[in-house]
Amino acid sequence: MKIAVIVGARPQFIKAAVVSHALAARPELTEVMVHTGQHYDDNMSAIFFRELDIPEPAYNLGIGAGGHGEQTGRMLIELERVLLAERPDWVLVYGDTNSTLAGALAATKLHIPVAHVEAGLRSFNRRMPEEVNRVVTDHVANLLFVPTELGRTNLLHEGVPPAQIRLIGDVMYDAALFYGAQAAARSDMLGRLELTPRNYILATVHRPENTDDGRRLRALFEGLAQVAERYRVVLPLHPRTRGALARERVPENSLARLDIIEPVGYLDMLQLEQNAALIASDSGGIQKEAYFFRVPCVTLRNETEWVELVESGWNRICPPLTAEAVARAVAAALAAPRGREADFYGDGRAAEHIVDA
Ligand code: UD1
Ligand code: UDP
């Protein structure tokens, strides 16, 4: 059986890594990996293939950046060509990016069944491009792998047939367990940045709702600069945010107080996460990684898809509307008791369950 796996953005390389290893262990299954080229810088793409031992993609479509219509449209055109040539039995897509949407649409129009990993998540905010991508992908997919019980509930409410839904846990948990165990030996990030464990905050920012709104972006960075009066704040800077900081005139004296670094590889990121006092981020994946390593988290958004982390006390939502709100949320999370323990994300063998299905 031939399975075409479509990836394109940083979090998808990490998710695909563990599934790719599980597929390789089954001689009856052949993986054809297709990279749309949505992310293309070395530290946003190639570094993950090198470090995580993912085979070189069979295709790189080189699509790159563009408006939603342009980027997704170009992916559709190129993916259709690849799928017609390869004729896979299944197409596997991950998450909620434009690469996910294009992969799902291209396949379904060719009557190739689609499997969606990380199905069923909802923010209920249709202004997020990811929300539109998820809803459309889930409704054309034939096999929907949900990471949490809530994912299943969301899909049932939308009328997805129960037989198509599989609750298998979260592949990001598999990845964090597997690569997390290697991070101490394979990364010297703390040494390079002269950080001591639990003595710094790790932050990331890349959501358009924060980067493309000057007031939110300034509040967020000025809030982190206030936090930096007490803790070092390490911030691997997403390329979208680099552009936004220049455009929105975020004050230099705020930026100068932060340890802003280039995006890092996954092993370096895991080491930074494992040893942080707290993580402040608008990332989807990083909220969960904070929990995997039992580090408190502040989510710099209006809402989250991963509500179980808020309900259990590991995560708190802070819309970055003022600098004071950001600084207060970080201080409150640092002072709060630990959250409740639970196995929210499965047994660490989600990739095997996917391959079995
Ligand atoms: C995309 C996903 C988002 C995901 C994120 C992970 C969509 C709609 N968004 O957002 O869901 O959370 O990836 O990081 O699919 N750029 C570079 N170099 C790169 C990649 C991007 O310079 O290697 C710049 C480009 O100028 C581009 C901008 O970053 O315009 C945004 O990239 P894009 O892939 O469109 O969206 P992300 O913000 O990365
Ligand atoms: N990540 C990384 N290096 C970085 C920032 C993030 O390896 O400099 C990893 C992070 O550990 C997580 C994934 O990238 O596994 C999250 O990606 P991102 O925040 O870009 O996207 P999202 O999860 O919000 O879609």
Side-chain angles (χ1 to χ4, degrees):
M1 180 184 280
K2 189 193 273 189
I3 300 166
V5 173
I6 317 287
V7 294
R10 172 167 69 187
Q12 293 166 332
F13 311 139
I14 295 160
K15 293 166 197 175
V18 285
V19 177
S20 183
H21 295 167
L23 283 169
R26 303 286 179 100
E28 72 279 18
L29 301 177
T30 307
E31 177 185 37
V32 178
M33 191 175 285
V34 186
H35 187 328
T36 62
Q38 178 171 351
H39 286 177
Y40 46 87
D41 291 342
D42 186 83
N43 60 16
M44 294 294 288
S45 174
I47 191 172
F48 296 95
F49 289 83
R50 284 197 302 272
E51 285 190 345
L52 309 186
D53 193 23
I54 316 172
E56 186 77 6
Y59 298 85
N60 189 322
L61 307 179
I63 303 294
H68 287 289
E70 184 196 353
Q71 188 183 51
T72 313
R74 291 178 57 216
M75 287 176 190
L76 263 176
I77 294 168
E78 297 301 324
L79 283 169
E80 185 169 75
R81 288 201 183 114
V82 170
L83 296 178
L84 282 171
E86 289 286 343
R87 284 278 158 202
D89 299 289
W90 279 87
V91 163
L92 185 62
V93 295
Y94 295 93
D96 52 19
T97 72
N98 288 347
S99 298
T100 315
L101 174 67
L105 276 181
T108 200
K109 293 286 184 92
L110 296 174
H111 308 150
I112 303 168
V114 175
H116 184 204
V117 177
E118 215 176 69
L121 296 176
R122 297 290 181 267
S123 65
F124 301 101
N125 173 1
R126 289 276 172 111
R127 291 182 60 86
M128 277 181 82
E130 293 84 358
E131 184 76 353
V132 180
N133 294 344
R134 289 178 197 128
V135 170
V136 176
T137 301
D138 282 344
H139 285 265
V140 298
N142 305 75
L143 192 50
L144 296 99
F145 294 112
V146 296
T148 58
E149 192 56 56
L150 181 60
R152 191 213 306 263
T153 307
N154 287 337
L155 292 178
L156 292 175
H157 279 152
E158 293 177 15
V160 174
Q164 295 184 9
I165 305 171
R166 305 290 162 87
L167 175 60
I168 50 107
D170 193 333
V171 286
M172 291 199 78
Y173 183 43
D174 299 20
L177 288 176
F178 183 73
Y179 294 107
Q182 303 175 14
R186 293 182 61 192
S187 166
D188 63 346
M189 207 54 204
L190 292 197
R192 266 187 284 155
L193 295 177
E194 298 179 351
L195 295 166
T196 44
R198 309 294 162 216
N199 222 352
Y200 64 92
I201 309 286
L202 176 65
T204 75
V205 184
H206 78 278
R207 293 274 160 217
E209 75 207 38
N210 290 331
T211 59
D212 300 0
D213 176 333
R215 276 201 315 205
R216 281 174 81 106
L217 189 74
R218 282 189 292 277
L220 203 161
F221 275 85
E222 286 171 17
L224 292 177
Q226 288 184 20
V227 172
E229 287 166 15
R230 290 192 45 218
Y231 283 89
R232 280 178 67 184
V233 177
V234 178
L235 192 149
L237 191 62
H238 191 286
R240 173 187 286 280
T241 316
R242 181 175 297 287
L245 287 178
R247 196 176 60 239
E248 300 294 349
R249 300 193 306 277
V250 176
E252 251 320 306
N253 62 344
S254 293
L255 298 181
R257 291 206 213 141
L258 310 177
D259 287 7
I260 295 180
I261 59 176
E262 289 296 313
V264 296
Y266 185 53
L267 293 162
D268 285 345
M269 191 64 182
L270 291 175
Q271 183 165 79
L272 287 172
E273 290 175 348
Q274 287 168 335
N275 294 288
L278 176 140
I279 298 175
S281 176
D282 61 9
S283 160
I286 293 170
Q287 293 172 55
K288 286 177 294 165
E289 287 166 353
Y291 174 68
F292 300 153
F293 301 125
R294 302 301 190 265
V295 173
C297 184
V298 171
T299 291
L300 300 163
R301 286 177 49 191
N302 294 356
E303 71 274 310
T304 180
E305 299 77 20
W306 307 100
V307 286
E308 57 282 344
L309 295 179
V310 177
E311 287 164 5
S312 60
W314 286 101
N315 189 2
R316 64 183 61 210
I317 302 289
C318 172
L321 301 177
T322 64
E324 289 67 32
V326 172
R328 264 201 312 271
V330 169
L334 283 168
R338 283 169 68 87
R340 177 170 60 81
E341 290 290 331
D343 288 336
F344 295 122
Y345 299 107
D347 60 4
R349 296 174 52 224
E352 280 173 58
H353 301 316
I354 289 168
V355 171
D356 285 344

